Amino acid sequence: MMESVGVYGFCGCKAKNKMKCDSRWEIAASETAPTSAYSSPARSLGDTGITPLSPSHIVNDTDSNVSEQQSFLVVVAVDFGTTSSGYAYSFTKEPECIHVMRRWEGGDPGVSNQKTPTTILLTPERKFHSFGYAARDFYHDLDPNEAKQWLYLEKFKMKLHTTGDLTMDTDLTAANGKKVKALEIFAYALQYFKEQALKELSDQAGSEFENSDVRWVITVPAIWKQPAKQFMRQAAYQAGLASPENSEQLIIALEPEAASIYCRKLRLHQMIELSSKAAVNGYSGSDTVGAGFTQAKEHIRRNRQSRTFLVENVIGEIWSELEEGDKYVVVDSGGGTVDLTVHQIRLPEGHLKELYKATGGPYGSLGVDYEFEKLLYKIFGEDFIEQFKIKRPAAWVDLMIAFESRKRAAAPDRTNPLNITLPFSFIDYYKKFRGHSVEHALRKSNVDFVKWSSQGMLRMSPDAMNALFKPTIDSIIEHLRDLFQKPEVSTVKFLFLVGGFAEAPLLQQAVQAAFGDQCRIIIPQDVGLTILKGAVLFGLDPAVIKVRRSPLTYGVGVLNRYVEGKHPPEKLLVKDGTRWCTDVFDKFISADQSVALGELVKRSYTPAKPSQLVIVINIYSSEHDNVSFITDPGVKKCGTLRLDLTGTSGTAVPARREIQTLMQFGDTEIKATAIDIATSKSVKVGIDFLNY
């Protein structure tokens, strides 16, 4: 460690093996160095023993890194959603055919979907039992006392978005209050999809299908932070979809990008236009939003039996209207989050360029569920509802299923009330808990738009249901308004509304009312499967996305010559008569900078001490753009390159040894490499946001 510091002259150690004097070096350094206002990693960790070679240079090199593409027989995309999940696949020999997975066992009244709920059940011994409808139905049929021993989890994907300090050890809480490792749950779920897909592929091919034949694509929200994206990849490795040695077998696709790729292929009969700008399919903007959508849904239902979608190898009519430089917004509204991404067309190939860093927030359809929960708190008391969830977890799940099917019936022009069945155990447990009836609670609560019906149901007026949607929809509209204020987003031609929540007529109407006169608003038919189909197309041709915006600023920690008046005094470090400024953040790329897929950024450094044999380069990231020092607030360490040059003493080494450092950007993974130019020794590392 000490040899990597490049400032060991302080310790005055005469030991032949310099590596043995670590502890003395650290004491000596802390005694000699000026005291810092905040702790300096350079002094406590023996950091940054490199200094930039002058002049520092960037080379944008996107061609030299094109490796031999591995060939796969099939692409399988997994849309791992907050509320529902599914997979689809396409054989590379027939890229125009996208097959959506087999029908699932089970299903809900009033909910037609080719996905399954994102629910998982573990046995009391914490072993995987079932996923989706099977998990939910089995859990529901358990005796209430037995159910308390089983671990049932739903809507757990949101934990990756909401956890600020996500690590490999982050926990999830099951319905019975017990904790379980998040990585384990995500890996179980992905393993389940892997087994289902391989079984279906084997049945179709008539012979055993190997995992090595499959390229996997997993979709994640664009607004997820880097640790969450890395977490998903780690879970996939644990589930056996791919391995760190063969990382190319797995692509992490951003949901709005996948949707964007699919929307390019849309033909007129495959979409509904909401805006008042033009009429398509015979529906004009003045028609009720619901009318076109209802007909589209009928069309989808008739096609339910067919699980194969033909994607013509052409550019759709809408797309053919777009010209070089035209911009469009993809609004991906799912169960947990809403992602807003702005893309720009690049001709002649029609490649996509991300124009504005993905934004959004936790404004998915789950927000409506939370509002319903708050309504129940108001009527029955928070203490009772929280107790009921723990004591009767399966009945709580039943109640939310009943609400889900009514939620889907909400519409702007609805006049008749919506009935939500209360499970018998809710009515029974409430009476025991409070000593009076559910009906009494409703009368006493002053919530006049929810009544009790003699059939054991909560009867909600349409206005009451619409009020539950309002906070979530208001957040989405407000976020879109902010986005449309940005100069990069002016003159947007289209707004594509995709994701499961885009099926909600209330959301459609709100988007149409707010933006219908600014751009054309398009909803693909079968909107809940848009991302899944787009993810398959992305897996078949990953090069279609050409330019992304970097979500973070990346750089390395270095020593620079100390400049009086420019550098803070607490950063001064004197070594062999040379005055160094420690902890300098040497920037590779800035947050929100455009990065071409596969782009290489190179920098050259030299050890601060020529005889240094172990070079340690620490990589840091920050959400801020103007970073000066690695000790600045919000700067996090996310990787270490350790280049060991011992045993190379026989090589002719120049007085100023050049260590070239390369960072490759683009995919959700970022790789870093350090090369000693004199000996060609190199070391590689993946940027790691979970273990530092």
Side-chain angles (χ1 to χ4, degrees):
M1 176 177 145
M2 192 234 61
E3 286 288 78
S4 70
V5 180
V7 284
Y8 83 92
F10 267 141
C11 72
C13 172
K14 302 280 193 287
K16 286 215 170 59
N17 183 354
K18 297 290 182 203
M19 300 303 274
K20 287 185 180 162
C21 82
D22 271 357
S23 55
R24 271 174 291 174
W25 144 251
E26 290 193 341
I27 295 163
S30 59
E31 285 167 1
T32 317
T35 54
S36 167
Y38 37 77
S39 93
S40 159
R43 300 203 168 92
S44 58
L45 302 176
D47 195 359
T48 51
I50 54 168
T51 182
L53 266 179
S54 196
S56 188
H57 61 289
I58 290 190
V59 179
N60 291 343
D61 181 355
T62 45
D63 298 322
S64 63
N65 58 297
V66 179
S67 56
E68 279 299 303
Q69 280 296 310
Q70 205 172 336
S71 57
F72 299 98
L73 298 179
V74 67
V75 169
V76 180
V78 178
D79 179 3
F80 196 128
T82 304
T83 46
S84 60
S85 298
Y87 67 86
Y89 58 93
S90 178
F91 294 99
T92 47
K93 285 200 168 72
E94 297 180 284
E96 66 286 347
C97 289
I98 297 176
H99 309 270
V100 175
M101 64 199 186
R102 292 172 178 160
R103 289 291 308 204
W104 298 87
E105 297 303 312
D108 292 335
V111 180
S112 65
N113 208 336
Q114 283 181 308
K115 294 202 232 170
T116 190
T118 308
T119 52
I120 195 165
L121 184 64
L122 307 189
T123 66
E125 296 75 40
R126 295 172 175 257
K127 294 277 178 282
F128 175 80
H129 180 272
S130 47
F131 186 90
Y133 288 118
R136 218 183 56 190
D137 297 346
F138 185 91
Y139 183 61
H140 166 266
D141 293 340
L142 285 169
D143 172 79
N145 286 323
E146 201 183 343
K148 286 181 209 167
Q149 306 308 311
W150 289 67
L151 288 90
Y152 178 82
L153 295 104
E154 60 177 357
K155 298 168 185 163
F156 47 85
K157 180 182 167 190
M158 271 305 276
K159 182 84 176 186
L160 298 198
H161 180 66
T162 54
T163 304
D165 53 349
L166 185 69
T167 69
M168 305 290 254
D169 294 322
T170 295
D171 284 327
L172 296 172
T173 307
N176 61 1
K178 290 185 179 167
K179 298 251 190 267
V180 58
K181 290 271 171 280
L183 189 68
E184 218 168 279
I185 295 300
F186 279 84
Y188 275 145
L190 290 169
Q191 193 174 352
Y192 173 79
F193 278 115
K194 175 188 156 191
E195 286 165 8
Q196 292 292 315
L198 287 176
K199 189 172 186 311
E200 182 171 343
L201 289 166
S202 300
D203 290 352
Q204 205 165 335
S207 60
E208 199 65 28
F209 227 89
E210 297 295 329
N211 188 61
S212 55
D213 298 329
V214 180
R215 161 166 266 163
W216 294 94
V217 182
I218 299 174
T219 62
V220 301
I223 52 164
W224 267 14
K225 291 197 169 13
Q226 295 299 102
K229 293 172 184 170
Q230 185 189 333
F231 186 95
M232 210 53 155
R233 188 170 271 280
Q234 292 300 332
Y237 289 161
Q238 193 159 316
L241 273 68
S243 65
E245 299 70 44
N246 193 13
S247 60
E248 290 74 25
Q249 190 177 358
L250 168 67
I251 296 174
I252 301 287
L254 306 182
E255 287 164 7
E257 284 185 352
S260 195
I261 293 163
Y262 180 67
C263 289
R264 301 168 48 146
K265 304 278 189 183
L266 286 175
R267 308 305 304 267
L268 288 179
H269 63 274
Q270 295 171 314
M271 62 197 172
I272 301 100
E273 178 149 4
L274 298 183
S275 43
S276 46
K277 282 217 158 183
V280 171
N281 273 11
Y283 309 129
S284 71
S286 57
D287 291 343
T288 58
V289 175
F293 213 68
T294 312
Q295 289 184 27
K297 276 190 164 165
E298 284 311 310
H299 169 76
I300 292 159
R301 270 194 205 108
R302 285 198 298 276
N303 291 336
R304 277 281 172 225
Q305 303 320 310
S306 159
R307 292 179 304 103
T308 301
F309 295 86
L310 284 174
V311 180
E312 297 168 62
N313 195 15
V314 293
I315 296 295
E317 286 95 338
I318 283 274
W319 215 261
S320 59
E321 292 180 31
L322 289 170
E323 295 160 5
E324 170 82 42
D326 275 351
K327 305 164 194 173
Y328 62 95
V329 179
V330 177
V331 180
D332 169 22
S333 45
T337 51
V338 168
D339 260 350
L340 313 178
T341 307
V342 185
H343 280 152
Q344 190 174 35
I345 304 293
R346 296 172 71 185
L347 296 176
E349 306 93 339
H351 286 140
L352 307 184
K353 173 181 178 181
E354 187 184 5
L355 197 66
Y356 183 73
K357 195 168 68 170
T359 60
Y363 320 128
S365 60
L366 275 187
V368 185
D369 298 359
Y370 295 143
E371 289 301 315
F372 178 60
E373 231 176 277
K374 275 156 65 178
L375 179 66
L376 294 176
Y377 283 174
K378 204 168 171 184
I379 300 169
F380 303 108
E382 186 174 348
D383 55 343
F384 165 72
I385 295 295
E386 291 305 316
Q387 194 63 18
F388 179 71
K389 282 185 193 174
I390 291 165
K391 296 289 187 203
R392 301 281 186 275
W396 172 254
V397 170
D398 271 0
L399 174 55
M400 291 314 284
I401 291 167
F403 173 68
E404 179 67 27
S405 96
R406 298 294 76 210
K407 181 170 93 176
R408 287 169 183 263
D413 47 3
R414 191 183 175 101
T415 51
N416 51 331
L418 296 125
N419 295 324
I420 297 160
T421 309
L422 281 182
F424 172 73
S425 65
F426 185 99
I427 299 165
D428 182 51
Y429 191 67
Y430 184 78
K431 191 158 180 116
K432 285 178 186 156
F433 191 88
R434 288 272 190 254
H436 58 244
S437 70
V438 162
E439 193 177 351
H440 176 82
L442 270 160
R443 275 203 310 273
K444 209 179 71 174
S445 69
N446 298 327
V447 178
D448 52 2
F449 41 76
V450 181
K451 301 274 183 267
W452 177 247
S453 87
S454 52
Q455 291 90 29
M457 294 177 176
L458 290 180
R459 178 164 288 176
M460 292 182 77
S461 72
D463 286 349
M465 179 59 92
N466 295 0
L468 299 182
F469 279 78
K470 193 174 181 332
T472 303
I473 289 177
D474 285 354
S475 295
I476 295 170
I477 298 297
E478 189 185 339
H479 214 90
L480 269 166
R481 275 196 216 288
D482 288 350
L483 185 68
F484 272 83
Q485 300 299 314
K486 304 270 187 287
E488 308 96 307
V489 186
S490 57
T491 68
V492 158
K493 266 203 178 174
F494 294 100
L495 185 154
F496 290 102
L497 195 54
V498 303
F501 195 29
E503 291 176 0
L506 289 164
L507 176 60
Q508 293 171 17
Q509 188 200 43
V511 173
Q512 181 191 10
F515 307 104
D517 57 348
Q518 290 181 49
C519 60
R520 292 171 62 183
I521 297 162
I522 309 286
I523 303 184
Q525 284 183 3
D526 229 355
V527 64
L529 296 175
T530 305
I531 290 161
L532 196 47
K533 296 180 202 168
V536 174
L537 293 172
F538 188 35
L540 291 165
D541 180 18
V544 67
I545 301 284
K546 279 295 186 210
V547 178
R548 283 203 180 124
R549 295 269 165 174
S550 174
L552 297 170
T553 297
Y554 292 95
V556 299
V558 300
L559 297 170
N560 266 350
R561 293 296 173 106
Y562 187 84
V563 179
E564 205 72 54
K566 178 187 170 188
H567 294 137
E570 66 270 18
K571 297 293 183 192
L572 173 63
L573 195 63
V574 183
K575 182 207 65 150
D576 295 346
T578 305
R579 291 155 64 83
W580 296 101
C581 177
T582 64
D583 302 335
V584 175
F585 184 99
D586 192 38
K587 197 185 290 183
F588 268 65
I589 207 152
S590 297
D592 210 23
Q593 191 176 328
S594 289
V595 191
L597 213 67
E599 184 167 318
L600 282 178
V601 180
K602 297 180 188 174
R603 289 272 194 281
S604 286
Y605 300 100
T606 189
K609 180 165 181 57
S611 61
Q612 209 168 299
L613 289 176
V614 177
I615 319 285
V616 173
I617 300 172
N618 285 315
I619 303 161
Y620 297 88
S621 67
S622 170
E623 290 182 12
H624 307 294
D625 183 19
N626 52 346
V627 185
S628 302
F629 296 100
I630 60 176
T631 49
D632 287 357
V635 176
K636 292 188 176 130
K637 186 170 167 184
C638 58
T640 299
L641 287 161
R642 190 172 188 280
L643 190 57
D644 188 343
L645 301 176
T646 47
T648 59
S649 49
T651 319
V653 176
R656 296 189 76 196
R657 187 169 207 146
E658 184 182 352
I659 307 295
Q660 200 173 73
T661 306
L662 305 97
M663 269 195 200
Q664 187 175 357
F665 294 88
D667 189 4
T668 46
E669 278 202 304
I670 297 159
K671 298 185 175 75
T673 310
I675 306 162
D676 175 38
I677 297 299
T679 62
S680 299
K681 258 201 168 184
S682 69
V683 61
K684 291 185 180 184
V685 68
I687 301 294
D688 186 347
F689 295 94
L690 294 171
N691 295 311
Y692 282 97

